[in-house]
Amino acid sequence: MPLRPLNQTSQHKGLIDFMSVKTSIQQLPLGMWLRQGASLDSFCGRENQQLLQSLRQLTEVNDERFLFLWGAEGIGKSHLLQAVCHVATACGDSSVYLSMRQAGQFAPEMLDGLEQMSVVAIDDVDAIAGSQAWETALFNLYNRVRDNGTGSLVLAARAPLADLGLVLPDLRSRLSWGLVYQVQAMTDDEKLQALKQRADSRGFDLPDEVAAYLLRHYQRQTAQLFDLLERLDQHSLAEQRRLTIPFVKQVIESEE
């Protein structure tokens, strides 16, 4: 197998399309990267097919422009939100991805002007539950996106709306207006398929025995498996080594 050059990056600096965007949007935190391998095609699972179809339609002429996703930590919600942003970029549209886990570092005014984007993806909504200022800012953003009549807003949290602990009843009501999906966990076979597709999208071969080994011996949550695969790819590039079970063991032990 030919070895790849060392300059391949694992992330895409595609957080924001700055064309025709206010100065306030340009001040968004640039640490929130879009993962290069985040794609809707690499998210497997028969139980999620309707959800995936709805996400693909976000950038098309579609009556449903608001989606709320919920599910356990590590099940793939962030992957899906970032994948939607990649879809928008591929269509020539603007997008922004933000995780509310970093909301404590910024003011709620960070959401001002985002209604200009074609797709706004807000992750970890549960992290701002109980904050009157942030909930109000999110409520106002929802209304502005709706009033614009063009853009889409997709949000994700760890719990269903009824259990989020939102203190603003109007926000809870707004978020329930659109489509609401529970992200279902992938089966082990689907996780294996997703790992191999992710490796293929990054340009390297993941042998079946290595993929099965990762699933048997390490974190089984989708997000952590993808993170581990990216780290293995980086080590493989740096050392110009193919992925084998002994090499995987060596990398994991060096990180402990």
Side-chain angles (χ1 to χ4, degrees):
M1 178 184 74
L3 297 176
R4 293 170 294 145
L6 293 176
N7 62 356
Q8 178 169 331
T9 179
S10 64
Q11 292 174 319
H12 171 54
K13 197 171 182 177
L15 172 64
I16 302 169
D17 181 345
F18 289 104
M19 297 175 60
S20 304
V21 180
K22 288 183 180 178
T23 301
S24 61
I25 298 179
Q26 297 181 20
Q27 297 170 356
L28 285 168
L30 295 181
M32 300 183 192
W33 306 99
L34 291 181
R35 294 184 180 277
Q36 186 181 40
S39 74
L40 296 178
D41 289 338
S42 65
F43 195 86
C44 305
R46 290 181 299 173
E47 298 299 320
N48 293 303
Q49 288 306 305
Q50 187 174 356
L51 163 59
L52 292 170
Q53 181 62 27
S54 295
L55 291 172
R56 289 188 177 96
Q57 292 175 345
L58 275 180
T59 56
E60 302 173 0
V61 178
N62 186 25
D63 291 336
E64 297 293 350
R65 298 188 293 115
F66 299 90
L67 274 76
F68 179 83
L69 318 180
W70 67 275
E73 183 178 5
I75 205 167
K77 301 182 301 295
S78 300
H79 174 98
L80 291 171
L81 265 61
Q82 294 194 16
V84 168
C85 291
H86 281 304
V87 171
T89 299
C91 294
D93 294 323
S94 57
S95 66
V96 57
Y97 167 88
L98 294 174
S99 169
M100 291 295 96
R101 289 189 185 182
Q102 299 188 25
Q105 305 174 35
F106 308 98
E109 288 75 18
M110 182 174 70
L111 302 184
D112 291 351
L114 294 188
E115 66 276 5
Q116 299 177 59
M117 312 300 284
S118 298
V119 173
V120 179
I122 305 291
D123 205 355
D124 305 306
V125 174
D126 46 281
I128 61 167
S131 168
Q132 184 79 30
W134 274 103
E135 288 191 24
T136 299
L138 186 55
F139 172 75
N140 291 335
L141 172 61
Y142 189 107
N143 288 337
R144 294 194 304 270
V145 173
R146 180 197 60 188
D147 293 343
N148 272 0
T150 55
S152 298
L153 178 63
V154 55
L155 307 101
R158 298 183 187 179
L161 287 169
D163 300 332
L164 269 187
L166 297 172
V167 297
L168 192 64
D170 286 342
L171 175 60
R172 186 166 56 250
S173 174
R174 287 291 189 278
L175 297 184
S176 67
W177 281 4
L179 297 176
V180 177
Y181 290 100
Q182 180 181 4
V183 182
Q184 303 292 333
M186 288 187 275
T187 66
D188 285 352
D189 286 344
E190 290 167 345
K191 289 177 183 178
L192 287 173
Q193 180 184 350
L195 283 172
K196 291 185 70 65
Q197 287 181 350
R198 174 65 71 95
D200 184 66
S201 72
R202 293 175 63 88
F204 71 96
D205 177 61
L206 179 65
D208 291 342
E209 64 273 15
V210 175
Y213 179 84
L214 293 177
L215 196 59
R216 286 197 307 269
H217 294 279
Y218 298 103
Q219 292 280 358
R220 301 173 70 86
Q221 292 181 329
T222 306
Q224 284 146 342
L225 282 170
F226 284 167
D227 286 342
L228 175 58
L229 187 65
E230 290 191 11
R231 297 199 306 275
L232 291 172
D233 182 29
Q234 291 165 2
H235 282 282
S236 173
L237 282 170
E239 301 184 32
Q240 294 289 278
R241 297 271 301 277
R242 296 175 177 82
L243 284 186
T244 62
I245 291 177
F247 180 66
V248 168
K249 289 180 178 179
Q250 175 186 324
V251 171
I252 299 298
E253 290 173 358
S254 69
E255 293 182 345
E256 293 177 348

